[in-house]
Amino acid sequence: MAAHDLTLTDKAALTSGLGQMTTKPIEHAGIPSVTMSDGPHGLRLQHPDHEPGQLDLRPATPATCFPPAVALGSSWDLDLAHRVGAALAAEAAAHGIGVLLGPGINIKRSPLCGRNFEYFAEDPTHSAEFGGAVIRGLQENGTGATLKHYAANNQETDRMRVSADIDERPLREIYLRAFERIVRRDKPWAVMCAYNGVNGVTLSENTRLLTDILRTEWGFEGLVMSDWGAVRNRVAALRAGLDLEMPPTGGRTDREVVAAVTAGELDEAVLDRAVERLVHFAHRAARPAGDGSTAPYDEHHRLAGEVADHSIVLLRNEGPLLPLDPGSGTVAVIGELARTPRFQGGGSSQVTPTRVDIPLDHIRELADGAHVEFAPGYPLADGPEPDADPTEVADRAVRLAAASDTVVLFLGLAQQDESEGFDRDHIDLPADQLALLHRVLAVNPRVAVVLSNGGIVRTAPWHDRVPALVEGFLLGQAGGGALARVLFGAVNPSGKLAETIPLRLEDSPSFLTFPGAEGHVRYGEGVFVGYRGYDAARVEVAFPFGHGLSYTTFAYRELSVAGADDGAGIVVRVTVANTGERAGREVVQIYSAAPAGSPVERPIRELRGFASVRLQPGESREVTIEFPRADLAYFSVRDRCWRIEGGTYRIEAAASSRDVRLSAELAVAADADTAELDVRSTLGEWLAHPIGGPLLLERLARSNAGLTSRLADDATLRRAAHNVPLEVVADFAGGLIGRDELAALADRVAEATG
Ligand code: BGC
């Protein structure tokens, strides 16, 4: 069915939705309807009797609630992410859903973003690998993915109007990078454009992002749909490259499209292009209806538990206090969150779980001979009605703590503290919980704190007083069992942080500019986001990016790096040994550091790849991590393209961004296609240029051998002349090379670089 076989009215109708989660069918043309669903970590299924087109806020039909991205990303295990994608596809197929609205891969620019739980990391390589793995799991199993929210949707404050004002380098190197990699490599069926604008242009009308970059540069061939309600002007949006408006507007914008085409204001070919993409999408994604009964929910619950096992991050373990001995002693489990767990975030991603594992039940179950007592300690809005006033509830918990050998204290954020739709204004735990923590510590120092939170919470200054600290984030419906397994050592923790926990919110690189004002947020920290910023400013942090402990220990040996210039990518090999007493898994991280004297400011280190290796006690294994040579590039604002600078890079094998175990040097040649030179290029730029440098030195030596050798020997002269345009240097040196000759020299460089 080609677009020109449809009427104008049909075409306008087709490019907006039918209901909240469906596209319009056109029966006489054989175009089916597609049913979509949020996303990203489970299906948010509409109630079976919902009215198409009506907003339905009733709880959705049950589906498996997998760990949200904050937890999945902390697993650093791409195989698990792929399996979650495949399981989501199976549940989608069972319900007749053709497309999932996820994954979300926005960068966690600030710890305050209310939606950080839905995103993977503060790093684009990590986000690209996780987003890609989930997408492959979905699409290899027949369900389309919708990569969202494109782009730079890094806050909830004023999200429908704010313009993220971002310089070109951070835009390319941080905020678009994961989108670029996934679009090129994993080919998602759809991309969802964000609510916000970038550099003054709202995303749904942003031709540069929706067409020039996404389609022309990256080759995207799928469908671009709006975020729900993100379209301000449908006609302008179609022109910019948006294909599908969601949800529908009761026909209002369809009529606007018809009127614009009729009046000659919108070229019908633009509408036809969107229609053709929509038709392709509809044929690809339409599914027969299903009642969901064929999905293997038990198996998926087990998978959700396995992911949770791998996602829990052991931040601290002095003594070591953990694991607890399941066979003896008395354990006080304190905190309403142990009985009323928080396992996902609020908003469009909220899933009605098929069942929920309660941490307290699983702790009781695993405690063979250990005696477990519980006290809620503080109330939660969605927990049971307290049977006493808050002081008495806290007093009882403190008395229980005093009478027990060990305390497991559950602390965290409640649903009202963080959600889609608003940002947090601080990162502290609730005051009543902090007060309880201090009272418990005063009567019993043997405390393991277990945290439940979607965005990170401040652990300083109290974490030094707590021997064990377990970051559970939001672990999905099977997280309760996983927490119990980690506490008693049935599972050896192996998750690592995909975002930094700062000592104070004020230390975070975006602190001074988040969330902006008057419709603009300026990304003033540039490329120095997350660990890139903390490292550059040499700021001490509570727990660095990539950090996570185990009940065993690992040693790193024999790092080797090869292959920078043969076009095949960079191959890093390192041997990891389990030097402790328990089987465990180590996440090895590979960072690169650019050569000294870069032409642009570069982060101290940047993640390039990672691998997860499972080892028995005493076992060692070589792991291989490859990444494309192109990852070493920075985005040159001047030349409007990626540039690899030549020189010696440092490649690091690390257990966290601040625990580098081994490093090696890697010589990298500059791009053949290097920057252009002219007579206004500085002496420094000429000398650094692989072709221009030798040419100039040779020419200088012919006219003034003395100057050439002084430049070689006199560091002060070299430094002072570094920033001086070549034609000025030539004048200063008594016009030793004429202007015409300098221009000819620049032409020779241009010819040689093609
Ligand atoms: C969210 C999207 C979601 C959509 C549909 C929006 O408010 O930003 O992530 O997919 O609603 O529920």
Side-chain angles (χ1 to χ4, degrees), residues 214-470:
L214 180 66
R215 295 201 185 271
T216 312
E217 257 186 55
W218 302 346
F220 180 65
E221 290 180 349
L223 179 96
V224 176
M225 73 177 81
S226 69
D227 199 343
W228 269 230
V231 173
R232 298 183 197 177
N233 176 331
R234 173 97 174 277
V235 173
L238 278 163
R239 267 195 219 108
L242 184 97
D243 303 313
L244 174 66
E245 177 182 38
M246 288 301 294
T249 57
R252 176 182 61 81
T253 56
D254 297 354
R255 288 190 291 277
E256 286 170 10
V257 171
V258 171
V261 173
T262 312
E265 286 158 13
L266 175 67
D267 183 350
E268 194 162 353
V270 169
L271 179 61
D272 288 351
R273 196 182 55 189
V275 166
E276 266 153 29
R277 289 185 193 130
L278 192 282
V279 171
H280 176 67
F281 178 76
H283 286 303
R284 204 179 198 189
R287 299 280 174 275
D291 64 2
S293 59
T294 53
Y297 295 107
D298 288 343
E299 189 187 314
H300 289 177
H301 185 76
R302 279 193 297 276
L303 174 59
E306 189 183 338
V307 176
D309 284 346
H310 289 75
S311 303
I312 294 166
V313 184
L314 180 63
L315 292 175
R316 180 178 161 80
N317 193 17
E318 296 300 301
L321 182 70
L322 295 178
L324 303 175
D325 177 0
S328 60
T330 53
V331 180
V333 175
I334 294 176
E336 185 57 58
L337 282 159
R339 181 172 63 176
T340 309
R342 183 151 173 269
F343 55 91
Q344 64 175 326
S348 61
S349 69
Q350 200 167 333
V351 175
T352 302
T354 58
R355 58 177 128 145
V356 177
D357 284 357
I358 305 300
L360 179 60
D361 296 348
H362 285 265
I363 290 171
R364 288 204 160 112
E365 209 177 287
L366 282 191
D368 247 357
H371 181 72
V372 176
E373 291 275 358
F374 170 71
Y378 52 83
L380 280 182
D382 48 356
E385 196 60 36
D387 61 355
D389 66 48
T391 329
E392 176 56 16
V393 170
D395 286 353
R396 283 184 202 157
V398 174
R399 284 198 294 274
L400 176 63
S404 306
D405 293 329
T406 311
V407 180
V408 178
L409 179 55
F410 281 73
L411 303 175
L413 301 179
Q415 182 95 334
Q416 69 268 20
D417 297 325
E418 54 175 350
S419 165
E420 176 182 346
F422 60 89
D423 293 317
R424 293 187 289 167
D425 43 29
H426 64 81
I427 57 168
D428 295 325
L429 284 168
D432 59 340
Q433 295 188 23
L434 283 175
L436 178 67
L437 166 68
H438 291 296
R439 290 187 64 195
V440 166
L441 279 171
V443 298
N444 190 339
R446 284 176 54 81
V447 176
V449 167
V450 177
L451 294 172
S452 305
N453 47 284
I456 49 109
V457 292
R458 185 170 183 224
T459 62
W462 52 262
H463 68 241
D464 283 346
R465 296 184 54 209
V466 169
L469 182 54
V470 176

Side-chain angles (χ1 to χ4, degrees), residues 514-588:
F514 183 94
E518 300 185 336
H520 289 267
V521 49
R522 171 105 197 108
Y523 285 29
E525 70 283 10
V527 297
F528 296 98
V529 180
Y531 67 91
R532 290 167 169 80
Y534 296 105
D535 285 357
R538 318 240 181 237
V539 169
E540 204 191 319
V541 300
F543 299 102
F545 176 83
H547 170 77
L549 303 173
S550 163
Y551 296 149
T552 188
T553 47
F554 300 99
Y556 288 47
R557 303 184 185 124
E558 291 151 31
L559 172 68
S560 73
V561 185
D565 290 320
D566 63 4
I570 293 165
V571 183
V572 183
R573 292 197 170 82
V574 63
T575 299
V576 184
N578 182 341
T579 48
E581 317 267 278
R582 285 169 181 263
R585 180 179 74 108
E586 173 67 335
V587 172
V588 180

Side-chain angles (χ1 to χ4, degrees), residues 20-21 37-40 44 100-102 104 115 118-119 146 148-149 153 156 159-160 192-195 225-229 246-247 347-349 420-421:
Q20 282 291 317
M21 288 288 157
S37 168
D38 278 304
R44 179 179 167 80
L100 189 86
L101 302 177
R115 222 173 168 179
E118 261 189 83
Y119 302 139
T146 310
K148 69 187 189 184
H149 307 89
N153 181 183
E156 294 299 280
R159 68 171 166 163
M160 294 199 170
M192 184 190 291
C193 87
Y195 285 126
M225 73 177 81
S226 69
D227 199 343
W228 269 230
M246 288 301 294
S348 61
S349 69
E420 176 182 346

